[in-house]
Each structure stands twice: as structure tokens, then as C-alpha cells.
């Protein structure tokens, strides 16, 4: 991950389509997918509406698939490509937000993994004390930070093994849920509104999965073998992520007939634990904690790439230590000082999510409108004379404002957050994305008209 080059050197492009598939499969095989399925049901949908929402929501991973394909075509990582749309200085703000978002959610996952690891030890009669929790934090975080010493090819091999191990164990859990599910109750669920129920459910899935992962997609696509067909990069990214997520969410729809409190539970892992046999308890927490590790590996790698792209020049060793210290400090504060901090921290990260949803819409709109013949390397050079691309910057500001106007959560309600937008910030993500595309098109039309008048 050398920041001195713009394009990834040919010798480093070692990822095959299958490794790309397993990388994204591993990152989405965590059992939180079951919780997503239960949340879909909470939108008062029928069984088949819930299944189609899970399917369409999963297939929104076509967005990261598209970003990965651009990364492969250009051989450039995500936020270096983004410099073309925003300018080298204008790009620093969304780049910094993406870094904070990546590090923040990585810390949340480390905290969750630590608690699950600690709960796993409790099943074999090791008491949960402050000391054992600290040991669990050191071990879990250590496994994540250890990944920082490996190159992309080695990480891809690790992700492949994690896919098979945790994918197989999660499949066992899925079968348990399918066997115990109340199928008649599932099929008897009444049909809900497609507009006020189904659409927000799809938006929730996309906001919590595919849109968030778009920031990391080209970071992997840029390292795909040069002779790989772009379609292979697209489909292996899209289906690698969508396949496990869909089946887990479908299982969650059925699990909601067993554990009806799953969608609203403050600790969904404990609710799911109650739905498995006692003898499976140790393996359950192993799967729950282990399934978070692949997500952490992807986030940790992209966070370090993003920091370098911002322009903070530190060695790889210093970057590794810096990220480790930040994540450990956040995790230790939540675990040992103030657990209440976590919910507010997650709300802050959700606000950043709206900013980044408008970013990815602008990134893709810029690609379609202006980059049909590829990206100009001069626009991505840190010494480029194009410091600010105002069409991208203004579009991003306008789109983000639109998103916040329709946002609604526990601490903030936008002036237009009523009707289907009430208590559903996920739809605000779609609004910000649509607004970004519209404003970008307006700038494009203005530019074309200006060029015609000059001609």
C-alpha cells in the first residue's frame, strides 16, 4: 500500500476473481445478517415481501461491484479515483469522513467481538471479569492488527479460509433455525405496504451494507489481475457479498417466528443464543465473534489506505500503530469506562453514512458523465493543479443537506422527516443519492451549453 504511486504496480495485481469473491463473502457472512432479516419483518411485511426485500437489498451490492470494476480498470484505489470528482483538496473532506467512518465502525466491531469472545468463555465456566474482558480485547484486536503485516494476496487467502470455516458453521446455525422455524406462522404474515414498508426495508439493507462497503470496493478491485474481465470483477464482488447476506437475512425472517424480540433487542446476540441448543453455545459465540473478524480485516486495510490518500505521510509501521492505538482507546473507553458512549458514537457514524452515500452517488455519476474514456492521471496526482472540482463539491454539499432534511433518529429530526421518512433514516440515504445525481446532471448540462456557446 505505497502512497507514492497513483496506479497499483502490475506486480502487485495478484487477486483472482475467486479470491475477490471469498473476500466479500467472508466480510458478509457474520450472523448479524439474521438480525437484518428480523428487522425486515418489523416493517410489517408478508413472508414473500420480506424475502424479496432481502433479495433486492442484497443485490444493491452491485454498487460496490461497479466501484470495484472501475478500480480494476484504472488500477487505482477508491479515494485516489475520487480526486477526479472533487479535486485534490476538495477530496480531502469526504476522504477524511470515510477514514473516520471506517475506523469508527472498526472500533464498534472490535468492541462487539470482544464481548462475544468473553461470552464464549463464560459457556466453558470462565467467569466474566474486567481482567478476562481485557484479555479478550487484546486477543481479538491483536488478530485484526496482525493482518496489517500481510499483503493483499495473503489477506485474500486468509479471507478464503475464513469464508469456509465460518460460512460452514453459520450454515449449521441456519439449518437449526430452519428446522425450528414456525413455517405456518411465517406464511401467514399479512402483506404490508410496498411504499411505506417494503421500500424502507430495502433502503435499510442498502444503507447498512452495500453503500457502506462502496468506500472499500476499489481498494480491492485495483489489485485484481490485469487480464481479468471487468464483468468478472463486478459479479464476484456483487455476488460474493450478496449471496451470504441474502441467505442469512432469509434465515432471519424465519428466526423472527421463534424469537419475536430479535429485531428490537438491545443485545440481539443473546436473543439468538436463546434460539440454539445449549450444547451449541460455545460454537455459537465462536461463530458470532469469528464472523466479525473478516469485516474488520477489510475495514482495517481500507482505513490505512484512506489515511495515506488524505496526505498524511507516515510509514506503514507508523500507520499500523496509529490505527491500533485509536481503536484500542475507543474500545477500552466503551468497555471499561462508559458503555453509554457507544450508542451516541453509532449515531454519529450514521450521520457520516449520509455524507458518504452522497459521495458514492457523485463518484459514480462523475464516472458515467466525464470518465467514459478513462481517468486522467493528472487529476489524481497529489500535485495536480485542479485543487477543487466545484461541480462535485457543490453536488455533495447539496445532496448531503437534502439527506439531513429527511433524516430522523433518536436525537435529530429533519424538517421533512415525516410520513415514510419518520423514524427511518435509511430512506434519507436514498434521497441524498438521488439529489447528488440530479445536481451532477444539472452541472453537466450547464457545462455542455457553455461549451456550445464558446464553440
Amino acid at each position: 500500500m505505497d502512497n507514492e504511486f497513483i496506479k497499483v504496480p502490475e506486480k502487485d495485481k495478484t487477486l483472482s476473481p475467486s479470491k475477490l469473491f471469498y473476500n466479500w463473502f467472508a466480510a458478509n457472512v457474520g450472523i448479524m445478517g439474521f438480525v437484518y432479516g428480523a428487522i425486515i419483518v418489523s416493517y410489517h411485511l408478508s413472508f414473500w415481501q420480506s424475502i424479496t426485500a432481502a433479495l433486492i437489498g442484497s443485490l444493491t451490492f452491485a454498487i460496490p461491484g461497479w466501484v470495484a470494476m472501475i478500480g480494476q480498470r484504472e488500477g487505482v484505489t477508491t479515494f485516489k479515483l475520487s480526486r477526479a470528482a472533487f479535486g485534490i483538496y476538495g477530496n480531502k473532506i469526504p476522504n477524511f469522513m470515510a477514514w473516520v467512518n471506517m475506523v469508527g465502525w472498526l472500533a464498534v466491531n472490535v468492541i462487539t467481538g470482544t464481548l462475544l469472545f468473553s461470552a464464549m468463555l463464560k459457556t466453558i465456566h470462565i467467569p466474566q471479569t474486567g481482567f478476562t474482558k481485557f484479555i479478550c480485547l487484546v486477543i481479538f484486536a491483536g488478530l485484526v492488527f496482525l493482518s496489517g503485516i500481510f499483503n493483499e494476496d495473503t489477506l485474500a487467502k486468509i479471507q478464503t479460509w475464513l469464508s469456509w470455516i465460518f460460512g460452514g458453521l453459520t450454515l449449521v446455525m441456519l439449518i437449526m433455525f430452519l428446522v425450528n422455524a414456525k413455517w405456518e406462522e411465517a406464511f401467514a404474515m399479512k402483506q404490508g405496504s410496498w411504499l411505506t414498508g417494503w421500500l424502507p426495508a430495502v433502503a435499510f439493507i442498502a444503507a447498512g451494507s452495500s453503500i457502506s462497503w462502496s468506500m472499500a470496493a476499489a481498494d480491492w478491485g485495483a489489485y485484481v489481475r490485469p487480464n481479468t474481465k471487468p464483468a468478472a470483477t463486478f459479479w464476484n464482488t456483487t455476488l460474493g457479498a450478496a449471496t451470504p447476506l441474502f441467505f442469512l437475512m432469509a434465515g432471519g425472517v424465519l428466526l423472527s417466528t421463534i424469537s419475536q424480540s430479535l429485531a428490537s433487542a438491545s443485545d440481539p446476540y443473546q436473543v439468538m443464543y436463546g434460539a440454539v441448543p445449549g450444547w451449541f453455545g460455545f460454537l455459537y459465540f465462536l461463530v458470532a465473534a469469528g464472523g466479525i473478524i473478516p469485516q474488520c480485516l477489510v475495514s482495517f486495510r481500507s482505513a490505512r489506505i484512506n489515511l495515506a490518500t488524505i496526505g498524511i505521510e507516515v510509514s506503514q509501521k507508523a500507520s499500523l500503530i496509529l490505527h491500533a492505538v485509536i481503536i484500542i482507546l475507543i474500545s477500552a473507553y466503551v468497555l471499561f469506562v462508559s458503555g453509554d458512549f457507544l450508542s451516541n458514537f453509532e449515531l454519529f457514524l450514521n450521520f457520516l453514512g449520509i455524507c458518504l452515500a452522497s459521495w458514492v452517488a457523485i463518484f459514480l455519476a462523475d464516472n458515467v458523465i466525464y470518465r467514459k474514456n478513462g481517468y486522467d492521471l493528472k487529476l489524481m496526482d497529489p500535485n495536480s493543479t485542479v485543487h477543487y472540482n466545484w461541480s462535485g463539491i457543490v453536488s455533495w454539499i447539496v445532496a448531503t443537506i437534502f439527506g439531513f432534511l429527511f433524516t430522523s433518529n433518536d436525537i435529530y429530526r429533519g424538517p421533512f422527516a415525516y410520513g415514510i421518512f419518520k423514524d427511518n433514516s435509511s430512506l434519507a440515504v436514498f434521497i441524498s443519492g438521488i439529489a447528488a445525481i440530479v445536481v451532477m446532471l444539472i452541472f453537466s448540462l450547464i457545462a455542455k451549453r457553455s461549451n456550445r456557446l464558446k464553440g
Side-chain angles (χ1 to χ4, degrees):
M1 295 187 295
D2 188 351
N3 195 44
E4 293 182 359
F5 57 75
I6 299 174
K7 285 182 174 284
V8 173
E10 295 297 303
K11 63 181 178 61
D12 292 335
K13 296 180 179 180
T14 57
L15 299 184
S16 64
S18 63
K19 287 180 179 176
L20 202 60
F21 179 91
Y22 283 119
N23 174 67
W24 290 107
F25 187 100
N28 288 276
V29 79
I31 65 172
M32 272 301 289
F34 290 128
V35 182
Y36 274 35
I39 292 174
I40 292 173
V41 176
S42 73
Y43 285 92
H44 307 293
L45 302 177
S46 69
F47 175 76
W48 291 113
Q49 281 181 312
S50 299
I51 294 298
T52 56
L55 178 61
I56 300 302
S58 299
L59 290 177
T60 61
F61 264 97
I63 298 171
W66 188 359
V67 175
M69 187 168 62
I70 296 170
Q72 185 217 341
R73 185 188 71 191
E74 303 297 330
V76 181
T77 54
T78 308
F79 276 92
K80 286 181 181 177
L81 288 166
S82 180
R83 288 170 177 166
F86 293 89
I88 57 167
Y89 291 166
N91 186 59
K92 290 182 183 294
I93 297 176
N95 195 169
F96 177 73
M97 286 185 172
W99 177 76
V100 172
N101 193 67
M102 283 282 185
V103 171
W105 282 115
L106 181 54
V108 171
N109 283 334
V110 168
I111 293 163
T112 305
T114 300
L115 292 173
L116 290 170
F117 192 11
S118 179
M120 180 184 75
L121 296 181
K122 188 178 179 181
T123 64
I124 54 175
H125 309 296
I126 296 177
Q128 288 183 305
T129 65
F131 177 73
T132 56
K133 192 181 292 184
F134 173 75
I135 295 299
C136 290
L137 172 61
V138 170
I139 294 173
F140 189 89
L143 290 173
V144 175
F145 301 146
L146 184 63
S147 69
I149 67 174
F150 301 126
N151 61 23
E152 285 71 23
D153 190 53
T154 303
L155 281 175
K157 290 176 181 177
I158 292 172
Q159 293 285 65
T160 299
W161 280 105
L162 292 176
S163 292
W164 282 103
I165 294 169
F166 293 112
L169 289 171
T170 304
L171 178 61
V172 173
M173 285 181 56
L174 177 60
I175 292 171
M176 289 181 182
F177 294 152
L178 293 179
V179 170
N180 294 320
K182 299 175 183 177
W183 288 85
E184 290 184 5
E185 186 176 318
F187 288 126
M189 291 189 294
K190 294 181 180 180
Q191 180 168 310
S193 168
W194 291 94
L195 179 61
T196 62
W198 186 86
L199 183 60
V202 172
F204 166 78
I205 299 165
S209 58
S210 59
I211 292 175
S212 298
W213 280 124
S214 297
M215 296 178 291
D219 296 342
W220 291 90
Y223 287 83
V224 172
R225 292 172 183 170
N227 59 347
T228 302
K229 292 181 179 179
T233 296
F234 173 82
W235 286 113
N236 279 279
T237 299
T238 302
L239 296 181
T243 301
L245 183 60
F246 168 70
F247 283 106
L248 288 170
M249 288 193 295
V253 170
L254 291 168
L255 178 58
S256 67
T257 64
I258 306 171
S259 304
Q260 296 181 352
S261 63
L262 179 58
S264 59
S266 59
D267 187 353
Y269 290 102
Q270 283 294 335
V271 175
M272 285 187 282
Y273 176 51
V276 299
W279 59 267
F280 195 73
F282 179 85
L283 285 177
Y284 164 76
F285 283 112
L286 177 64
V287 173
I292 295 174
I293 291 176
Q295 301 173 28
C296 292
L297 299 189
V298 175
S299 297
F300 188 47
R301 178 178 175 275
S302 285
R304 290 183 295 125
I305 291 175
N306 284 344
L307 183 67
T309 308
I310 292 171
I312 298 176
E313 300 293 339
V314 294
S315 67
Q316 289 299 316
K317 181 179 180 181
S319 176
L320 184 65
I321 294 172
L322 174 66
H323 284 87
V325 169
I326 293 171
I327 292 162
I328 287 292
L329 287 176
I330 294 173
S331 302
Y333 183 76
V334 171
L335 290 169
F336 303 108
V337 180
S338 175
D340 294 337
F341 171 76
L342 185 59
S343 58
N344 293 327
F345 186 55
E346 288 180 344
L347 281 173
F348 167 70
L349 295 175
N350 287 328
F351 277 126
L352 286 184
I354 293 174
C355 302
L356 294 169
S358 53
W359 164 81
V360 73
I362 290 166
F363 177 89
L364 293 175
D366 174 84
N367 175 260
V368 171
I369 298 170
Y370 302 110
R371 318 297 166 195
K372 294 177 182 177
N373 298 319
Y375 284 70
D376 185 347
L377 282 180
K378 293 179 181 178
L379 295 176
M380 297 180 286
D381 192 316
N383 300 313
S384 170
T385 57
V386 182
H387 295 172
Y388 302 97
N389 185 337
W390 289 108
S391 63
I393 294 169
V394 173
S395 298
W396 181 65
I397 293 172
V398 172
T400 301
I401 291 173
F402 260 86
F404 282 120
L405 290 175
F406 291 88
T407 296
S408 174
N409 56 39
D410 292 340
I411 62 172
Y412 170 80
R413 181 186 295 278
F416 302 140
Y418 295 94
I420 62 174
F421 298 100
K422 184 180 180 181
D423 302 322
N424 187 18
S425 293
S426 299
L427 276 178
V429 169
F430 275 14
I431 292 294
S432 65
I434 293 170
I437 294 169
V438 170
V439 179
M440 286 288 287
L441 287 173
I442 291 172
F443 271 111
S444 173
L445 293 172
I446 292 172
K448 286 180 181 179
R449 184 180 179 184
S450 176
N451 289 335
R452 281 199 300 268
L453 292 174
K454 289 178 180 178

